[in-house]
Amino acid sequence: MKTRFTNLLMVVGLTLATTFSFAQNLVQNAGLETWTDVNTPADWDKAENITQETTIFHGGANSARHESASGTKDLQQNVTGVTAGKQYEISYWYLDNDNQARSRIWAYWLSGTTTLPDHEEILRPADIYSEDNAEWIQFNQTLVAPAGADGFRFEVRIYKQDDLTGGYVYYDDFNVAEVVTNNPEPDNYPTAFAATANGLVAELAWTDATGTNLPQGYVIMASETNSFTAPVDGTPVVD
């Protein structure tokens, strides 16, 4: 392999570059840390019978306390930024230690404002509710966004239990994030790297890496001062 590198005084290294995808949580105010008032978490589209909780929480310093009533009450956010065909982790934490309330997820993939029927048994379970437990429990599923999906309606609901109302379930740390997939580490590095000065041009040569897992490309780093930071896995190299 040979290439030309122009207007650099000294070529100091050659390293491998692999491609990484980085998951970003698409839920806004996912940890329920920001509130418009004590009954309204910022960035959430619906908050029925919700109260800010500052002593019982999973992460941060707040959670949402959901009170059961005679009818169903919802906490809902319409999440944007989903891409059809990609895998997403969908999760949240809940604490139900009250025999006067029970809860469940009731969510949809969205295409614009239209709800999609996919994954009904997971996102809208007919007969599965939270059960009393003194510990925080995580709902966690990895699903492929269906054709046409560009959003996700994240909704949790609270219900009375045994015809009793006024009980509480707590929620925290909601998450909708694309699953991270890293390329495997290359089996070998390139060898026989050499740089030959030719006026203002440095002619580079090396022997390509071999093996089953090959690098997708190389990063060639150069410096006039023999001073730079070596690349780190998972951190993009700035142009």
Side-chain angles (χ1 to χ4, degrees):
M1 176 72 69
K2 183 176 288 188
T3 188
R4 296 170 71 84
F5 212 46
T6 309
N7 295 328
L8 292 173
L9 296 182
M10 181 171 57
V11 178
V12 293
L14 176 73
T15 188
L16 300 180
T18 53
T19 303
F20 297 84
S21 59
F22 297 90
Q24 176 186 2
N25 189 357
L26 300 178
V27 180
Q28 302 300 306
N29 192 23
L32 299 156
E33 295 301 305
T34 306
W35 292 73
T36 303
D37 56 55
V38 294
N39 300 118
T40 311
D43 298 306
W44 288 79
D45 299 299
K46 185 187 290 186
E48 299 175 331
N49 275 30
I50 290 290
T51 303
Q52 182 181 11
E53 174 61 46
T54 59
T55 59
I56 300 172
F57 46 80
H58 178 263
N62 296 271
S63 69
R65 187 182 73 182
H66 211 177
E67 183 177 3
S68 64
S70 58
T72 303
K73 300 298 179 181
D74 304 334
L75 175 63
Q76 179 192 109
Q77 182 178 140
N78 291 325
V79 177
T80 60
V82 167
T83 301
K86 292 189 175 182
Q87 268 195 330
Y88 288 88
E89 181 188 60
I90 298 163
S91 64
Y92 70 100
W93 290 85
Y94 62 90
L95 175 62
D96 175 4
N97 196 29
D98 195 319
N99 62 10
Q100 298 184 125
R102 58 181 183 168
S103 177
R104 64 179 170 182
I105 188 172
W106 199 262
Y108 290 87
W109 296 103
L110 295 175
S111 178
T113 58
T114 302
T115 58
L116 302 176
D118 304 79
H119 303 128
E120 178 181 7
E121 70 283 359
I122 296 172
L123 298 178
R124 297 176 300 285
D127 298 310
I128 300 176
Y129 299 86
S130 62
E131 298 180 354
D132 293 351
N133 193 312
E135 302 297 326
W136 284 89
I137 304 296
Q138 186 184 37
F139 171 94
N140 190 304
Q141 293 286 335
T142 298
L143 301 172
V144 176
D150 58 13
F152 185 79
R153 175 167 293 165
F154 212 145
E155 182 176 308
V156 287
R157 294 181 170 183
I158 196 167
Y159 308 84
K160 61 185 178 181
Q161 184 173 338
D162 299 327
D163 214 28
L164 299 174
T165 63
Y168 301 116
V169 176
Y170 302 84
Y171 311 116
D172 207 349
D173 296 330
F174 289 79
N175 181 61
V176 176
E178 184 184 346
V179 175
V180 175
T181 302
N182 291 342
N183 291 333
E185 194 73 16
D187 293 333
N188 296 292
Y189 287 84
T191 58
F193 176 72
T196 302
N198 184 4
L200 295 178
V201 175
E203 294 186 350
L204 310 182
W206 63 86
T207 301
D208 283 330
T210 59
T212 301
N213 296 320
L214 298 174
Q216 289 193 336
Y218 303 120
V219 174
I220 301 170
M221 304 188 72
S223 173
E224 296 181 356
T225 62
N226 195 24
S227 175
F228 60 86
T229 302
V232 176
D233 281 352
T235 302
V237 177
V238 178
D239 289 344

